[in-house]
Amino acid sequence: MISGIRVLDTILSSDKNGDSVTRNSADFWRPFCSASGWKFNFERLHSLADVKYFFSIPIKENVIIFSGHGDETDGFYLSNGDKIDGNNNFKINQKNHGKIIIFSSCLIGKREELANGIKRFFGAKHLFAYQHIMEDRFCFLNESILLTMIDRKFENGQQKFTDNNFIDFTLETDFMKNMNKKGVKNHPLVMF
């Protein structure tokens, strides 16, 4: 069952002042969590030092969404140019292992080695990532449907979210894969 979502946003704007964003995930997730009966928390990340700090203390929410830019080679970019690529050299608090992590960013799911490295680094139960360049609105659609489906499975007594459950999700949302970009053959979201 989903107990809560923690959104970790990074500055996405090319604004020279560096104080504006092109996506503020909190504006979407706060009312969605309220409507779903889930707790919500939001933090802004700027550097690996921020990531290290937030993951050194227990995070109460069982879903963590990293919102920002990603790349199939470098991983997830932070505001100051740092990146999360699974090779980061700090420890994650054991109480933060076993979370569901979503990278609401492009291309991280395209390279299995990268995504699995990030999953191991965080000790995640599941890691979901996109294998295509995605528009924000389609990330929000996919992720909200996915988390609602996970929550329903647990409410109905299922003990874990399986590969077959994820296949069901991709089949249920298959009609959306070409909304973001025409000619897409595989679902943009992948599970690790």
Side-chain angles (χ1 to χ4, degrees):
M1 188 158 123
I2 305 289
S3 64
I5 293 176
R6 170 131 349 164
V7 173
L8 300 174
D9 244 334
T10 190
I11 291 179
L12 301 173
S13 178
S14 58
D15 177 356
K16 298 296 182 208
N17 296 323
D19 60 357
S20 65
V21 294
T22 55
R23 178 197 308 170
N24 184 346
S25 295
D27 290 343
F28 175 84
W29 285 108
R30 184 177 288 111
F32 190 89
C33 288
S34 178
S36 300
W38 304 335
K39 293 178 183 169
F40 173 78
N41 207 325
F42 167 78
E43 303 290 347
R44 181 80 64 201
L45 297 178
H46 300 286
S47 67
L48 281 174
D50 294 342
V51 177
K52 181 178 179 180
Y53 170 75
F54 288 121
F55 280 88
S56 71
I57 54 178
I59 295 172
K60 293 178 183 172
E61 299 81 11
N62 63 343
V63 176
I64 299 168
I65 299 174
F66 285 90
S67 181
H69 290 303
D71 179 82
E72 66 190 272
T73 304
D74 293 333
F76 183 79
Y77 294 108
L78 297 158
S79 307
N80 71 346
D82 288 349
K83 61 188 176 186
I84 298 171
D85 61 7
N87 295 314
N88 308 101
N89 64 355
F90 56 87
K91 297 288 184 205
I92 303 298
N93 185 313
Q94 280 293 121
K95 292 184 178 180
N96 293 326
H97 287 205
K99 307 277 186 187
I100 295 169
I101 296 181
I102 298 174
F103 274 89
S104 189
S105 53
C106 304
L107 302 172
I108 290 175
K110 189 171 182 177
R111 201 169 117 226
E112 190 173 340
E113 180 184 331
L114 172 68
N116 278 323
I118 294 171
K119 179 182 178 183
R120 280 189 302 276
F121 174 71
F122 284 108
K125 181 181 211 172
H126 300 291
L127 185 133
F128 299 94
Y130 293 96
Q131 58 183 330
H132 303 298
I133 293 176
M134 296 293 294
E135 290 182 34
D136 296 344
R137 59 187 172 153
F138 298 115
C139 289
F140 293 140
L141 274 174
N142 279 299
E143 294 157 24
S144 60
I145 293 168
L146 173 68
L147 292 176
T148 300
M149 185 179 212
I150 291 171
D151 192 57
R152 288 287 180 224
K153 295 288 182 194
F154 283 91
E155 280 181 0
N156 292 331
Q158 190 170 318
Q159 298 301 311
K160 62 181 184 173
F161 191 75
T162 66
D163 290 340
N164 285 337
N165 295 142
F166 186 71
I167 290 168
D168 290 344
F169 162 77
T170 61
L171 293 173
E172 294 285 337
T173 56
D174 193 59
F175 71 96
M176 293 191 317
K177 73 181 177 195
N178 285 301
M179 289 178 170
N180 181 68
K181 180 181 174 186
K182 300 293 179 205
V184 173
K185 300 208 185 317
N186 298 320
H187 199 283
L189 192 61
V190 290
M191 179 175 97
F192 298 92

